Amino acid sequence: MRTIETLVPGAARADTAGLRKLDADELARYVADSAHPWWRRRACAVALAGRVPERRVADLAARVRDPGDVGEVRIALLDLLAGRAELLPWLQHEDRRHERSFGVPEAILKARGSLGDRSAAGELATLAASPWPRSRVVGEAGLDALVARYGVEAVVRDIGVARPEDRAFRVRMQHRAGQDVTHTLADPDREVAYLAQSLLTDPKRLRCYLDEAPPTEAKLWAAYALHRLTDDAAETRAIYDRLGRPRVEVAGLDGELRSAILHEYARGCERQSDPRWRVEALCTEPPVRPDEETQLRRATAALATAASHRSPRSPAARTTDRAAARTT
């Protein structure tokens, strides 16, 4: 007979399908006992999805409330108990703002969203705009739960549009509803504009937008999105030329070094980066990379030459070295 220990022999080695076949009460008792390894307890909590024994809810909730328990277990339990309304007062309490376990504050916000707490909408929007994928996914899940319960319009009103993350949420909702978000390429916040360009899928619409006289930066975002969709370097260069080849000037940076930096880093730069870097990288040739094999041969030859010109050590020096070696 397979046991929890054999189904979870090590951290990150859980047989979740096997755990789901075990008795739910056995799994819940295991999770509630903090004496067991946290990684086994977390795996058991995941395997309990949709079948939490009612008589074990209080014990599991106590583990969620315990700041001394392992964060990963508490996060898994928050997901597991997300629909329990009795947790909401604890989740909303001011003390939750002092939680320090990794990932727990985010999981608490997500749980508030799952329970329909509209007062969490603004913080969830901030979380959904995080540069960290893990936080972003959690924030979006909490917002999606609010939208499912109250509708997009209500949640948009709760959040507003004052902050970049608020507008980013609105852009995502408009795109999800099939609306055109091309106009948001002109958003004053580059992260919102970057999000908009990442969602666009119609090259024809982007070409029309370029003729609508948007600000230069919005045109650059449009050119960047268009290139992503078509991979047409000639068209991108033509747009870049029409715009006057705008670029970020850096005092003291010579052309060769600029080209090396540009093509090494521009394609993977942060979402807040100036689009002039991105489009310049698409429209300029990368520097010729050195022949590494030739460089290696030259370096090897140089080292050999240097070694051959070293002064030979005197017999006295060699004797001293041997004596030192014996002493050591």
Side-chain angles (χ1 to χ4, degrees):
M1 178 180 176
R2 303 190 75 184
T3 65
I4 291 173
E5 286 73 17
T6 59
L7 290 167
V8 194
R13 293 175 59 198
D15 179 354
T16 304
L19 287 171
R20 291 190 193 282
K21 296 177 183 178
L22 296 184
D23 178 65
D25 196 68
E26 178 187 0
L27 293 174
R29 282 189 288 109
Y30 195 98
V31 177
D33 186 350
S34 59
H36 293 303
W38 72 265
W39 35 273
R40 283 201 177 109
R41 295 171 61 216
R42 181 187 181 282
C44 290
V46 172
L48 273 171
R51 57 190 191 112
V52 179
E54 191 64 28
R55 64 178 182 154
R56 299 294 177 192
V57 169
D59 293 338
L60 298 175
R63 299 272 54 81
V64 170
R65 295 188 182 102
D66 182 5
D69 209 334
V70 177
E72 290 288 348
V73 176
R74 298 174 71 201
I75 292 168
L77 286 172
L78 277 167
D79 280 341
L80 186 66
L81 303 176
R84 309 296 305 200
E86 61 266 35
L87 275 176
L88 189 55
W90 178 83
L91 293 167
Q92 292 175 320
H93 196 278
E94 181 64 25
D95 288 350
R96 300 293 78 72
R97 297 191 177 277
H98 305 298
E99 290 279 351
R100 292 293 178 264
S101 295
F102 178 75
V104 171
E106 293 87 347
I108 286 172
L109 279 173
K110 177 184 172 183
R112 287 172 61 188
S114 297
L115 286 167
D117 180 6
R118 291 169 67 173
S119 67
E123 291 174 276
L124 283 167
T126 299
L127 198 57
S130 169
W132 304 107
R134 174 172 170 161
S135 297
R136 196 159 59 241
V137 167
V138 173
E140 289 177 358
L143 288 171
D144 286 346
L146 289 175
V147 167
R149 181 175 295 212
Y150 301 110
V152 173
E153 295 297 328
V155 181
V156 167
R157 283 197 303 272
D158 289 341
I159 293 175
V161 294
R163 304 175 304 164
E165 54 263 46
D166 304 337
R167 299 194 297 278
F169 169 70
R170 185 179 60 174
V171 169
R172 285 197 301 273
M173 292 302 101
Q174 289 174 334
H175 175 71
R176 184 180 295 179
Q179 299 175 27
D180 180 21
V181 297
T182 309
H183 64 283
T184 56
L185 294 174
D187 192 278
D189 186 85
R190 286 176 179 148
E191 195 155 353
V192 178
Y194 178 87
L195 171 65
Q197 72 78 27
S198 73
L199 298 173
L200 297 173
T201 58
D202 186 352
K204 183 177 179 180
R205 174 68 186 105
L206 284 165
R207 294 186 185 102
C208 291
Y209 180 73
L210 285 164
D211 294 331
E212 293 171 8
T216 297
E217 189 158 310
K219 290 182 179 181
L220 288 166
W221 284 119
Y224 186 71
L226 188 60
H227 189 278
R228 172 176 56 79
L229 295 172
T230 67
D231 201 29
D232 188 342
E235 181 179 27
T236 307
R237 289 192 187 100
I239 295 169
Y240 190 50
D241 288 342
R242 286 203 305 273
L243 295 177
R245 302 180 68 81
R247 69 180 210 166
V248 180
E249 297 298 342
V250 181
L253 186 63
D254 66 64
E256 185 177 2
L257 184 56
R258 179 190 182 91
S259 180
I261 294 171
L262 181 69
H263 288 277
E264 186 67 28
Y265 297 108
R267 294 175 189 269
C269 56
E270 298 292 333
R271 291 180 293 176
Q272 280 278 10
S273 298
D274 194 313
R276 289 177 291 177
W277 288 114
R278 299 175 187 273
V279 179
E280 183 184 351
L282 295 175
C283 296
T284 57
E285 292 297 327
V288 177
R289 288 191 174 274
D291 183 341
E292 293 184 8
E293 187 175 342
T294 300
Q295 282 196 325
L296 181 60
R297 284 201 303 270
R298 288 176 178 172
T300 303
L303 287 171
T305 301
S308 67
H309 284 86
R310 255 185 227 143
S311 300
R313 297 176 67 77
S314 67
R318 290 196 294 271
T319 301
T320 303
D321 286 348
R322 286 196 294 272
R326 284 197 297 272
T327 303
T328 304

